[in-house]
Amino acid sequence: MNIDNLSIAEIRAVLSRLDCYFFVKDQDLKYTYVNDAVARLFEKSAEEIVGRDDSQFFDLTVCHELLLHDRKVLAGESISQVEKNTDLNGNVRHFQNLKTPIYDDKGRVVGVFGLAIDISDSIAKHDKLEYLAIRDVLTGVFNRRYLELQMKRRSPRM
């Protein structure tokens, strides 16, 4: 099978089954397409999301950061980074995001393509391991490793 032979409907069907968040925004940074995972994340139907911007789904601080990133993409830059997002209900999630420009046939940027993977569980496990590495398992008191790290930070370098 060649991807060039797939219809738009077949491509949409594949994208809707992805176990990651896939979205497209126009030049006004309004969603023009979201897959099923994004709809579940926002607890809305795809039809309720399309035509809206991030202010409908994220708090003001997150919206500002997303706007800055999306503007860089509209300027032709691709971005890959971890984003910490807080939704309107106060739920915090971490995502590995890839955003890249969408170009028309004349080479002009006409939108933003985004792909995000939820890495919240990995971040939580990392934080737990980091916590356990510097604390006693039974008491929760800082251990010798923590004290040594603190001494290294405070001692003058030679």
Side-chain angles (χ1 to χ4, degrees):
M1 176 186 282
N2 185 333
I3 194 165
D4 294 333
N5 297 331
L6 294 176
S7 69
I8 297 293
E10 290 170 321
I11 292 171
R12 284 180 183 257
V14 169
L15 294 176
S16 71
R17 290 191 303 268
L18 289 177
D19 191 25
C20 58
Y21 306 97
F22 175 81
F23 57 88
V24 176
K25 295 179 183 178
D26 62 18
Q27 287 180 309
D28 297 323
L29 301 177
K30 294 186 186 293
Y31 290 96
T32 59
Y33 174 82
V34 296
N35 71 350
D36 292 350
V38 174
R40 284 191 303 275
L41 177 70
F42 291 163
E43 298 178 345
K44 306 270 185 217
S45 69
E47 293 78 20
E48 292 174 293
I49 299 168
V50 169
R52 295 184 179 195
D53 63 23
D54 288 324
S55 68
Q56 306 293 311
F57 310 106
F58 298 103
D59 71 18
L60 187 60
T61 303
V62 171
C63 283
H64 179 70
E65 288 178 35
L66 293 173
L67 180 64
L68 292 175
H69 299 160
D70 289 348
R71 284 184 179 159
K72 286 181 181 179
V73 175
L74 288 176
E77 185 178 334
S78 291
I79 296 175
S80 178
Q81 63 193 21
V82 173
E83 290 181 356
K84 178 180 174 184
N85 294 345
T86 305
D87 67 19
L88 295 175
N89 297 322
N91 300 313
V92 176
R93 305 296 296 172
H94 294 84
F95 298 93
Q96 176 65 51
N97 277 352
L98 168 66
K99 294 180 181 179
T100 192
I102 299 172
Y103 297 94
D104 66 10
D105 56 357
K106 295 180 182 172
R108 295 177 299 213
V109 176
V110 294
V112 175
F113 160 87
L115 182 68
I117 300 169
D118 189 338
I119 59 169
S120 300
D121 291 340
S122 297
I123 297 287
K125 287 176 186 173
H126 174 270
D127 291 348
K128 183 176 181 179
L129 287 172
E130 195 171 80
Y131 176 88
L132 292 173
I134 61 171
R135 295 182 186 264
D136 180 78
V137 177
L138 295 176
T139 65
V141 175
F142 288 115
N143 63 19
R144 180 182 180 123
R145 182 171 187 265
Y146 172 80
L147 295 174
E148 288 173 351
L149 288 170
Q150 292 301 311
M151 288 174 54
K152 282 183 183 177
R153 287 185 190 150
R154 293 186 180 156
S155 66
R157 302 222 185 256
M158 294 187 187

